[in-house]
């Protein structure tokens, strides 16, 4: 499995899974705020911690860029509730 990359044209983080499958986080960034619109892992790869791996990467990237996060996606929202050490990234 290769590393997570940023797809500028698609405004998303992508984790290739082999073949044509990929896990992804769709985002929109504006005025210093990154809105997490969708976290997706194909059903064939669920239960492997890939969504959590993607979210940790997104959080690290947002922190490095000085961005705040709005988790619109329900998975992203739950991830932040479970990872209290990352909640400082949430936009007020």
């Amino acid at each position: 499995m290769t590393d997570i990359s940023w797809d500028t044209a698609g405004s998303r983080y992508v984790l290739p899974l082999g073949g044509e499958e990929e896990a992804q986080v769709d985002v929109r960034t504006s005025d210093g705020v990154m809105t997490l619109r969708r976290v997706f892992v194909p059903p064939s790869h669920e239960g492997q911690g890939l969504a959590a791996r993607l979210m940790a990467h997104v959080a690290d990237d947002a922190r490095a860029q000085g961005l705040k996060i709005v988790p619109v996606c329900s998975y992203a929202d739950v991830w932040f509730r479970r990872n209290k050490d990352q909640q400082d990234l949430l936009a007020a």
Side-chain angles (χ1 to χ4, degrees):
M1 206 177 312
T2 59
D3 287 338
I4 298 165
S5 63
W6 172 248
D7 172 15
T8 302
S11 190
R12 64 195 183 129
Y13 291 88
V14 178
L15 175 59
L17 300 172
E20 293 187 22
E21 289 191 304
E22 61 187 23
Q24 61 188 4
V25 178
D26 296 330
V27 305
R28 293 293 175 262
T29 304
S30 178
D31 299 324
V33 176
M34 180 185 288
T35 302
L36 306 184
R37 298 167 26 123
R38 178 177 173 240
V39 178
F40 173 77
V41 174
S44 60
H45 288 81
E46 289 178 351
Q48 299 176 28
L50 298 176
R53 182 175 164 205
L54 277 163
M55 284 298 302
H57 181 88
V58 170
D60 288 347
D61 202 32
R63 189 175 305 284
Q65 294 182 52
L67 300 172
K68 291 294 184 178
I69 293 178
V70 174
V72 173
C73 168
S74 60
Y75 178 84
D77 183 55
V78 168
W79 187 87
F80 274 102
R81 289 178 197 213
R82 290 180 180 159
N83 293 275
K84 299 199 182 299
D85 61 322
Q86 300 291 337
Q87 290 183 354
D88 62 305
L89 287 170
L90 296 173

